[in-house]
Amino acid sequence: MTKIAIFASGSGSNAENIIKYFRGVEGVQVVLVLSNKKDALVLKRAQNNFVPTFVFTKEELNSGAKVLDKLCETNASIIILAGFLLKIPNSLLNCYQNKIINIHPALLPKYGGIGMYGMHVHRAVVENNEFESGITIHYVNERYDDGAFIFQAKCTVLSSDTPEDVKAKVQALELLHFPKVIASILK
Ligand code: GAR
C-alpha cells in the first residue's frame, strides 16, 4: 500500500480531488492531511472524507521532529503539496528525497518564487498581458518553485480575462491532471 500525505494551507479543492481520486485506485491511500492553518477549509474537507488531519505551526515544521513523527506514524511514503505556502525544511527533504511533489498555478519558471502563490500569480499573469498560463507539477527542493519539472499543461489567456477567469482555467487543469500525474509517478 502506497500512503500519501497531503500538505495544504488553503481551501483544499486539490486535496479533496486527490483524496476522492485515490479512493478508486487499488494500493494507494491518502492517509493524512496536514496544515499550518488551523482554520483552513482543507481540514474540514479532509474530515468530511474521513481522512485524519494534523495541524502544526511554522516553528514545529522547521524544528522537524513533530511533523516527521506524525508522517512516520502514518507510514506516509510520498508527500503532496496542494496549495501549501511554507518552505519545506531540509530535515523533511532529506527524509523524502524525490518524494515531495508540488503544484504551482503557472508555467514555471515564470511567476514562481517567494510571494508568488494563488491569486498573486493570476494577477501578475493578467497585468503582464500573457497570452497563456497553466500548471507546473514538480519535485520540491530547498528553493521555492525550483525543483525538476514532472508535468506542465497550458491554458489560453484572453485579453478580456480577469485574474478570476485565469484562476478558473488553471483550477480546471489542476483538477484534471494532478491526481493522474501523481498516479503515474507511483507506478
Ligand atoms: C492552487 O491553485 C495551487 O496551485 C496553488 O494554491 C492553490 C490552492 O488551491 N499553489 C500555490 O500557489 C503554491 N505556490 P486549493 O487549496 O483550492 O487546492
Side-chain angles (χ1 to χ4, degrees), residues 94-175:
N94 291 338
C95 288
Y96 285 86
Q97 282 182 19
N98 284 324
K99 300 275 185 209
I100 309 182
I101 291 154
N102 182 44
I103 190 161
H104 187 77
L107 295 171
L108 291 174
K110 283 180 146 185
Y111 304 104
I114 295 177
M116 274 296 169
Y117 60 89
M119 283 308 291
H120 298 283
V121 174
H122 308 309
R123 275 190 215 108
V125 164
V126 169
E127 274 164 21
N128 287 322
N129 301 310
E130 296 284 357
F131 58 86
E132 62 181 16
S133 190
I135 60 170
T136 304
I137 297 169
H138 66 94
Y139 290 106
V140 173
N141 68 12
E142 62 279 12
R143 288 176 296 276
Y144 275 115
D145 304 325
D146 184 70
F149 293 178
I150 300 165
F151 177 87
Q152 288 189 308
K154 291 179 181 177
C155 58
T156 305
V157 177
L158 305 174
S159 57
S160 56
D161 278 348
T162 63
E164 287 72 22
D165 294 330
V166 178
K167 178 186 173 183
K169 292 179 184 182
V170 167
Q171 193 175 40
L173 291 176
E174 294 185 332
L175 297 180

Side-chain angles (χ1 to χ4, degrees), residues 21-22 176-185:
Y21 179 91
F22 282 105
L176 177 66
H177 293 292
F178 201 13
K180 291 184 195 165
V181 171
I182 297 166
S184 73
I185 290 165

